[in-house]
Amino acid sequence: MTQERIILGVDPGTIVMGYGILAVEDRKPRLMTMGVLKLDKYEDHYLRLRRIYERMLSLIEEYLPDELAIEAPFFGKNVQSMLKLGRAQGTAIAAALNRDIPIFEYAPLKIKLAITGNGQASKEQVAGMLQHILHIPDENMLPQLDATDGLAAAFCHYMQVSRPAMQEKSYAGWKDFVAKNPAKVRK
């Protein structure tokens, strides 16, 4: 009997935080839930962080995820926005750490590439591809694309873990590559 694995994916934000939860059984992913946490009603940035922390803990307690996949902040022009986004991400990570859940961080480009094959794909393209891959009925799709962005982080992590051949190999240099791949090198 194969054990089910649950992945919580998060698209951190200070106005809207998106999340998606995948269950993986027999190497097949299925959507458990996805949603958004709207934070624009809170004027105080610190109250927003508190709400992120509380919502993350409630998701963790309800769905008992085995892993957290979170989108890394991308570099923007506004330093203050980056700082706030980093705080939101850190708060979500702190909630997972509080429950001893392993954390995996993915760049937006890597997530889009894993889902659509195009690192420059739009949010709509990512949502459409996830809907197709996971057979999500139209009525279960949310108008806020932050939800499918959170789900995309979870699906990206599923792809990374489920297909070890796709994982990147790293080498310390040419000599290291030759030492690890003697059959691929002509003499």
Side-chain angles (χ1 to χ4, degrees):
M1 190 166 106
T2 307
Q3 186 174 353
E4 184 178 66
R5 191 170 97 242
I6 298 172
I7 305 168
L8 167 58
V10 174
D11 176 30
T14 56
I15 304 299
V16 179
M17 179 188 88
Y19 62 87
I21 302 176
L22 280 181
V24 181
E25 192 167 9
D26 292 326
R27 301 178 92 184
K28 293 182 185 120
R30 72 174 166 77
L31 173 68
M32 291 182 79
T33 192
M34 66 177 157
V36 294
L37 172 60
K38 294 181 181 179
L39 300 158
D40 55 350
K41 61 186 166 209
Y42 303 102
E43 292 286 328
D44 186 331
H45 181 68
Y46 298 107
L47 286 177
R48 291 177 183 185
L49 296 177
R50 178 180 178 171
R51 189 66 190 109
I52 290 169
Y53 189 80
E54 291 169 348
R55 184 63 178 132
M56 286 293 297
L57 287 180
S58 71
L59 287 169
I60 290 167
E61 288 166 9
E62 183 175 353
Y63 293 97
L64 304 171
D66 298 292
E67 298 152 326
L68 170 69
I70 191 161
E71 185 174 308
F74 58 92
F75 294 104
K77 294 177 183 170
N78 187 328
V79 175
Q80 286 302 315
S81 295
M82 280 294 302
L83 179 60
K84 287 178 180 178
L85 186 58
R87 287 177 177 168
Q89 183 199 35
T91 300
I93 288 171
L97 288 171
N98 186 282
R99 298 296 193 260
D100 295 319
I101 297 171
I103 297 145
F104 301 87
E105 186 177 57
Y106 297 98
L109 184 119
K110 185 167 188 123
I111 293 171
K112 290 176 181 182
L113 195 59
I115 308 299
T116 67
N118 175 6
Q120 303 304 315
S122 68
K123 288 176 173 278
E124 292 82 6
Q125 289 171 316
V126 170
M129 189 60 80
L130 285 170
Q131 184 179 12
H132 175 73
I133 294 169
L134 296 171
H135 310 289
I136 303 170
D138 286 340
E139 60 271 14
N140 292 8
M141 294 298 287
L142 301 176
Q144 303 93 349
L145 296 174
D146 306 88
T148 45
D149 284 353
L151 183 60
F155 193 82
C156 175
H157 180 64
Y158 156 75
M159 296 284 288
Q160 291 297 303
V161 173
S162 299
R163 300 189 180 160
M166 289 181 63
Q167 291 182 356
E168 297 170 24
K169 293 182 180 179
S170 61
Y171 303 102
W174 181 247
K175 287 182 182 179
D176 187 33
F177 173 82
V178 171
K180 291 179 181 174
N181 298 282
K184 291 183 180 182
V185 181
R186 291 185 193 159
K187 293 187 179 189

